Amino acid sequence: MKNCLWLFLLINLTWSCSQDVAIETAEKEEAGLPPFLPMNEVSLDQLDFWEVSGENWRIVGGVVADFQKEWDLATEEGSGILVNMVPDEGKRDVPGKGSHLISKLEHGDLELEFEVLVPKGSNSGIYFQNRYELQIRDTQGDDDLTPDDMGGIYYRSGSDGKNVEGSAPSINAARLAGLWQKFKVMFRAPRFDESGEKIKDAELEYVYLNGALIQEHVSLSGPTVEASSEEEVALAPFRIQGDHGPVAFRNIKYKAFDLNKVVGLSELTYKLYEGKFDYIPDFDTLSVVDSGTVVDFSNLTELAGYNDGVNLVFEGVLEIPTSGTYLFETIIDDGGDLYIDGNLIVPNEGDPGYGLGRATVDLTAGSHKVRQTFYQEVWSAYLIINVEGPGVEKHSIPFVAPSGEEEQRPKRKLAIEVKDRPELIRAFVNHQGEKRTHILSIGSPEGIHYSFDTRNDQLLNVWRGDFADVSKMWINRGEEQLLQPMGAVLELEESDLAFHPLGYDLSAEGYPVYRYQLGTAIISDKSEPENRMLKRTLSSEQGEVELPIAIGQEIVPVSGGWYAVDQLYFVKMDSGEGTLSKDGSKLMVRIKAGGSISYLINW
């Protein structure tokens, strides 16, 4: 009886979690299924996208900056990179003679991605709608964060002329000066009623810097300092600040959404069919037991009047606002197919169980017939249809307008705090889009953390700040078994050498010392923090060995013995010598029997 009771509780727990887990899973990208339509990419072959008033902005093919030199930025001829070469004294916070760059695009809601390289001591900013500044600045080493730090939302001018409001980034996710950094931002424009009165503030829904969430749902009560105007509007261009120092941009991508554009669904009818199936049945061979009209796809078992063996066909009319390519997504338990104008668009068979299907289709503006089949064998039954199109933000159909102040679901977080000794955790981690097993992640009291592949003996990820969130190892049954770094992660390239692991011991300080074999050599490998950097020491217990300590597309020397690796991080020999390969893709070291080398990683 006790075993039966536990089985009953497990079944009910699984059933109650299934829909939340499925919907959360649907937000993830799956192989071969693009989750969103591609973004528009700003051409950086020339300056046609911008209103240009000065000579400080130009298009180049490459940039190099030394993190040890103030305002250092050298360029190479070509295209693909936008640079501001503002003339100035090279001092921080001394505005120069450079002009701003203003987009010809006028936007309301705007999703924006870009990479930026900031020289030492330099300063710029992105002004959404030419009014609300997202700070771009060299502040990697700052500990007490303010709105003036990288990724901060800048201050407003108070009535007394002093700075007020603003929002500091939640963590310092900035990289060292002279390195490429990636922003991903969702800006929400202010809302106005029919009389033109503002009814909702502008908002930065999220800001990611180098993969770390640093701002979330920050309301902007008004324009920030140096806005083009104090008057707030529905549409305006965005601006890149050009008078505070040199800066470079690349891979600028965007989606501009029209608030008035949604895909409508009307005249929605349903037919309920008899039978119980674990596959999509041939509905033409089944008997209809009920039919009628419905406004949406909620409460399917209530619509049917029973929980198991629910088979439905919905038909209606889609109203497409603009001609172009649309992405449709169905999230179903158990399965069903989406047809538009009689053509199968999204097949979604299910297992049975949770199913996710996506496909794109070109549609003309106007009305189109839609048909969605559905079957459910046992337990939960739900159907969600999402759509995205040109100027149409991804939304569910039928569309339900937001009610104003939307409630934000609190995120559950299980954070591992590092105290006076290193923390070692075995868990899966993500590395370059792949979930990796056999990983040991090490958190240091100094705030320099890393993940090591114990099977392939490779240093994978490094990051600063707080250590790790292990929510995905425990919440929702811990299905993903995933450790999530709580800082901005630098992912390192791996070598293709055939290491044979021999296990690890702990140093007196509590850091793992790995041992592995490479050919006839036996190597010990230790990584530990040093002066806000990661120091790695490799020693040969027997045999001579040569191996790479940095791998990239392009490794170039800068001053002081440092090398820039793809302008994503710097390395420097701390002891021993490194040799750059002829093609510039590897920094190699040779370790003699009984000898050792060490090097520093800085980012």
Side-chain angles (χ1 to χ4, degrees):
M1 176 65 72
K2 183 180 292 185
N3 289 339
C4 291
L5 177 60
W6 278 111
L7 179 61
F8 172 80
L9 292 172
L10 178 61
I11 289 172
N12 277 274
L13 175 62
T14 304
W15 180 85
S16 66
C17 292
S18 61
Q19 183 163 345
D20 285 343
V21 173
I23 293 173
E24 180 181 341
T25 304
E27 296 301 319
K28 301 170 188 172
E29 183 171 356
E30 298 191 359
L33 297 174
F36 296 96
L37 291 175
M39 303 184 78
N40 302 296
E41 187 161 1
V42 176
S43 173
L44 295 180
D45 293 331
Q46 47 196 352
L47 293 170
D48 288 356
F49 184 80
W50 314 93
E51 297 287 354
V52 183
S53 58
E55 298 181 356
N56 50 303
W57 292 97
R58 66 189 71 167
I59 299 294
V60 301
V63 294
V64 177
D66 188 336
F67 72 95
Q68 302 159 102
K69 298 178 180 179
E70 195 88 3
W71 279 35
D72 180 69
L73 186 64
T75 64
E76 301 172 3
E77 291 188 3
S79 63
I81 298 176
L82 172 69
V83 297
N84 174 32
M85 299 299 291
V86 57
D88 206 291
E89 302 175 23
K91 295 181 180 179
R92 187 167 177 169
D93 291 329
V94 180
K97 302 175 182 178
S99 65
H100 303 312
L101 204 59
I102 299 174
S103 70
K104 294 178 181 178
L105 169 77
E106 291 197 335
H107 71 89
D109 287 3
L110 184 72
E111 182 181 4
L112 182 66
E113 292 183 7
F114 61 91
E115 291 179 71
V116 61
L117 185 149
V118 187
K120 181 181 179 181
S122 195
N123 186 343
S124 182
I126 299 288
Y127 282 77
F128 292 92
Q129 292 194 326
N130 217 339
R131 288 163 171 79
Y132 316 96
E133 184 186 7
L134 176 67
Q135 179 67 288
I136 294 173
R137 192 168 187 173
D138 168 31
T139 57
Q140 181 266 357
D142 290 0
D143 293 320
D144 297 323
L145 300 179
T146 74
D148 197 20
D149 281 279
M150 182 73 147
I153 300 168
Y154 205 66
Y155 303 101
R156 295 186 60 222
S157 291
S159 57
D160 58 358
K162 295 182 179 180
N163 290 340
V164 297
E165 299 181 7
S167 176
S170 58
I171 63 171
N172 191 340
R175 287 184 178 160
L176 206 59
L179 298 176
W180 285 109
Q181 312 192 55
K182 184 174 181 178
F183 275 96
K184 181 179 178 68
V185 186
M186 185 70 221
F187 170 81
R188 299 291 182 187
R191 303 309 199 239
F192 302 89
D193 63 18
E194 294 180 356
S195 67
E197 290 294 318
K198 187 174 75 168
I199 56 176
K200 187 176 182 181
D201 288 339
E203 178 187 75
L204 277 168
E205 184 173 310
Y206 58 74
V207 178
Y208 285 87
L209 174 57
N210 298 322
L213 180 63
I214 62 170
Q215 302 276 7
E216 188 173 21
H217 293 290
V218 178
S219 181
L220 306 169
S221 63
T224 59
V225 173
E226 296 188 15
S228 63
S229 172
E230 287 298 313
E231 179 186 3
E232 296 183 278
V233 295
L235 293 172
F238 69 89
R239 180 220 305 179
I240 302 179
Q241 187 179 48
D243 64 349
H244 275 54
V247 66
F249 294 86
R250 70 180 184 185
N251 295 329
I252 304 172
K253 302 176 182 180
Y254 71 92
K255 286 183 182 178
F257 299 112
D258 187 332
L259 304 181
N260 298 314
K261 285 185 180 180
V262 297
V263 174
L265 177 62
S266 61
E267 302 177 31
L268 189 61
T269 65
Y270 75 91
K271 290 181 180 179
L272 177 67
Y273 293 81
E274 65 177 6
K276 186 175 182 179
F277 305 92
D278 60 359
Y279 57 89
I280 300 174
D282 181 356
F283 287 91
D284 292 338
T285 66
L286 305 182
S287 299
V288 177
V289 296
D290 193 15
S291 63
T293 61
V294 68
V295 295
D296 56 33
F297 305 115
S298 62
N299 300 321
L300 300 185
T301 54
E302 182 179 322
L303 179 67
Y306 44 84
N307 292 328
D308 296 342
V310 178
N311 307 291
L312 292 158
V313 173
F314 296 94
E315 293 184 332
V317 177
L318 285 177
E319 296 295 340
I320 300 298
T322 305
S323 298
T325 300
Y326 286 77
L327 181 143
F328 285 86
E329 173 184 77
T330 61
I331 306 169
I332 302 178
D333 188 347
D334 288 322
D337 293 333
L338 174 67
Y339 297 81
I340 297 177
D341 295 331
N343 300 311
L344 177 61
I345 304 301
V346 184
N348 194 338
E349 182 66 36
D351 288 331
Y354 162 76
L356 171 66
R358 298 191 189 104
T360 58
V361 58
D362 291 335
L363 296 173
T364 57
S367 300
H368 296 263
K369 293 183 178 179
V370 63
R371 182 174 188 258
Q372 175 69 58
T373 64
F374 173 84
Y375 84 91
Q376 180 256 344
E377 184 184 10
V378 294
W379 294 5
S380 61
Y382 57 86
L383 165 63
I384 300 170
I385 303 178
N386 295 320
V387 62
E388 181 188 8
V392 179
E393 189 172 2
K394 189 173 182 179
H395 65 84
S396 296
I397 55 174
F399 175 72
V400 178
S403 58
E405 294 299 325
E406 295 80 40
E407 181 180 354
Q408 304 301 326
R409 294 176 60 183
K411 292 181 173 63
R412 288 179 285 178
K413 184 176 290 187
L414 297 176
I416 301 298
E417 182 181 355
V418 184
K419 296 183 179 178
D420 56 352
R421 292 276 294 179
E423 288 283 347
L424 280 63
I425 300 179
R426 285 190 176 273
F428 297 168
V429 300
N430 283 328
H431 178 73
Q432 297 184 345
E434 178 186 355
K435 183 184 287 187
R436 305 295 292 270
T437 61
H438 300 79
I439 306 301
L440 185 66
S441 294
I442 297 91
S444 77
E446 293 83 356
I448 306 296
H449 320 299
Y450 62 95
S451 293
F452 195 90
D453 190 326
T454 61
R455 180 173 58 180
N456 298 323
D457 295 296
Q458 305 270 2
L459 185 62
L460 297 182
N461 300 334
V462 296
W463 67 99
R464 292 188 178 94
D466 291 336
F467 178 37
D469 177 12
V470 295
S471 302
K472 292 184 181 295
M473 296 172 63
W474 298 98
I475 295 175
N476 284 339
R477 297 173 289 171
E479 289 180 333
E480 297 186 60
Q481 303 176 45
L482 189 67
L483 177 144
Q484 295 177 292
M486 294 176 67
V489 175
L490 170 66
E491 297 182 327
L492 304 175
E493 294 290 336
E494 302 170 86
S495 75
D496 56 3
L497 297 177
F499 297 102
H500 177 68
L502 300 174
Y504 67 88
D505 297 315
L506 293 181
S507 69
E509 299 81 15
Y511 292 99
V513 181
Y514 300 96
R515 298 179 69 250
Y516 44 85
Q517 187 170 349
L518 179 61
T520 59
I522 295 178
I523 303 166
S524 66
D525 184 339
K526 178 185 177 183
S527 297
E528 58 188 338
E530 183 171 298
N531 297 326
R532 296 181 64 92
M533 298 176 282
L534 187 68
K535 178 180 178 179
R536 189 180 189 187
T537 302
L538 301 171
S539 304
S540 175
E541 298 179 12
Q542 82 174 36
E544 186 172 308
V545 66
E546 185 179 39
L547 72 166
I549 60 169
I551 301 173
Q553 297 296 315
E554 184 180 32
I555 302 175
V556 297
V558 294
S559 65
W562 288 97
Y563 292 84
V565 184
D566 291 337
Q567 293 176 293
L568 296 176
Y569 66 101
F570 297 99
V571 296
K572 177 184 179 179
M573 298 304 302
D574 189 55
S575 67
E577 295 183 1
T579 304
L580 198 59
S581 63
K582 290 183 179 180
D583 64 359
S585 66
K586 295 179 181 178
L587 184 61
M588 305 294 298
V589 294
R590 182 176 294 276
I591 309 172
K592 295 181 179 181
S596 68
I597 66 95
S598 62
Y599 67 97
L600 300 170
I601 301 174
N602 200 1
W603 68 100

